[in-house]
Amino acid sequence: MKYNSKIIRRKTQSSLKQIKHYIEKGILRPEILSDVLLMNDQDIERLYHIKLLLEIGFNLEHIKIILDNINKQNLITIFDHFLDSYKTWFEIFNNKYEIYKDKNLIKLDDRSYFGFFKSELIARTVMYELYEKRYLWYQKEEYKIKLKKIRKNIYSCFKEFNDNKLIYEMVSKYFSELYEFLNDNFLNRSPLYFICWIKWLTNEPRYIKEMRRITQFNYSNEIFEMSLIWIIKITNKKY
């Protein structure tokens, strides 16, 4: 079925300017816009996926990587995980809000009071779930050392090589170690756990400082994009 510009803009909450921008970024087909805007069912589904990924927190460059490489079932698994996590955290946040109303009390040592608010992090509800897990893992010295070593090894790959293909081959080894660790500790729900952890390593100021100390540069975007490509390839086989 074909849809015209008026229907598309009204029903999808998308302006013509936004759609043109998505086309320029290569995540919508340029053929949908010639003299007029015209989209079919597959284009509408693609736009829906873009909107969902934006809601999770990905930027357009990362969305292009995801949509160009991921299979549909893997993508649906990510959406399911995010929405389930969102529901869970909304209930937690609502409970904390009721406590606040009842007792006029906010405990700053409890991250769930502020954890639901907007942040720069991807899939913030999944990220806070990981934070709770990390707190428990760091109680075990063995886990703490292992995760720290993986992090440093990921950064070091960008110090030793300047060829992206060689870097990808090397860093894939440590992506695999991290992914196995997460799965071994019952976090095998979806690729979002891995994606969020890598985002942590490339977004947290203290980790960026550590990365600069090891490599002399900030390779956050390169690491994150390589991790997206890697995890999609691995999990496409699973789903």
Side-chain angles (χ1 to χ4, degrees):
M1 189 171 179
K2 299 285 187 178
Y3 305 93
N4 63 34
S5 177
K6 184 177 180 180
I7 292 175
I8 294 165
R9 288 184 286 115
R10 187 173 73 244
K11 297 296 186 181
T12 68
Q13 303 295 310
S14 303
S15 68
L16 187 58
K17 183 178 180 180
Q18 284 177 325
I19 291 173
K20 285 181 177 179
H21 190 48
Y22 299 157
I23 292 172
E24 290 169 359
K25 290 293 184 179
I27 52 179
L28 282 178
R29 297 186 303 119
E31 292 82 5
I32 66 174
L33 184 62
S34 51
D35 294 332
V36 295
L37 176 64
L38 202 63
M39 298 174 73
N40 60 29
D41 289 325
Q42 289 73 33
D43 297 320
I44 295 296
E45 182 183 34
R46 178 88 167 186
L47 180 58
Y48 183 64
H49 292 164
I50 292 168
K51 294 283 189 177
L52 276 169
L53 289 168
L54 284 169
E55 183 64 25
I56 291 174
F58 293 103
N59 65 33
L60 294 181
E61 286 74 19
H62 299 151
I63 289 173
K64 177 170 172 52
I65 291 173
I66 293 169
L67 294 182
D68 284 353
N69 293 280
I70 202 166
N71 65 40
K72 187 172 180 179
Q73 186 53 51
N74 200 359
L75 188 63
I76 294 299
T77 301
I78 288 176
F79 292 154
D80 286 347
H81 184 184
F82 173 70
L83 291 172
D84 286 347
S85 176
Y86 195 93
K87 291 173 189 174
T88 299
W89 271 95
F90 183 81
E91 290 177 5
I92 293 171
F93 178 76
N94 186 63
N95 290 337
K96 298 300 180 181
Y97 177 69
E98 293 300 327
I99 292 173
Y100 161 69
K101 283 200 305 182
D102 183 47
K103 299 182 179 180
N104 196 31
L105 176 66
I106 296 175
K107 295 181 179 179
L108 285 180
D109 60 344
D110 186 342
R111 287 173 61 93
S112 55
Y113 276 95
F114 287 85
F116 192 75
F117 297 129
K118 288 281 187 183
S119 73
E120 297 301 315
L121 300 176
I122 284 176
R124 64 189 184 279
T125 54
V126 177
M127 195 73 84
Y128 279 104
E129 183 183 351
L130 270 181
Y131 181 87
E132 298 299 322
K133 292 287 186 181
R134 189 189 70 162
Y135 178 79
L136 295 175
W137 292 336
Y138 272 33
Q139 305 305 307
K140 297 182 179 181
E141 191 66 20
E142 175 190 356
Y143 285 1
K144 186 176 181 179
I145 292 172
K146 183 176 181 66
L147 289 169
K148 184 177 181 180
K149 184 178 180 181
I150 291 173
R151 183 178 73 242
K152 288 190 172 184
N153 284 337
I154 288 173
Y155 297 156
S156 295
C157 289
F158 289 79
K159 175 185 178 182
E160 297 176 13
F161 301 100
N162 56 14
D163 179 271
N164 280 347
K165 186 176 180 180
L166 286 175
I167 293 172
Y168 181 79
E169 289 176 0
M170 286 296 297
V171 80
S172 292
K173 173 185 175 182
Y174 304 116
F175 288 159
S176 181
E177 288 183 10
L178 175 60
Y179 185 58
E180 288 173 8
F181 176 87
L182 295 176
N183 282 348
D184 288 345
N185 287 276
F186 312 108
L187 295 182
N188 57 357
R189 172 68 188 278
S190 86
L192 270 183
Y193 283 126
F194 175 85
I195 291 169
C196 286
W197 195 279
I198 295 294
K199 190 62 177 178
W200 216 339
L201 303 189
T202 57
N203 193 74
E204 183 77 22
R206 60 196 168 109
Y207 292 151
I208 293 176
K209 185 176 180 181
E210 180 182 47
M211 185 197 311
R212 286 182 179 275
R213 189 168 62 248
I214 293 172
T215 68
Q216 308 304 313
F217 295 99
N218 183 352
Y219 289 104
S220 294
N221 195 55
E222 289 85 350
I223 292 172
F224 189 69
E225 288 187 357
M226 285 187 183
S227 74
L228 276 180
I229 293 169
W230 183 86
I231 192 62
I232 289 170
K233 284 182 178 179
I234 294 298
T235 52
N236 272 346
K237 299 174 184 177
K238 179 179 178 182
Y239 298 105

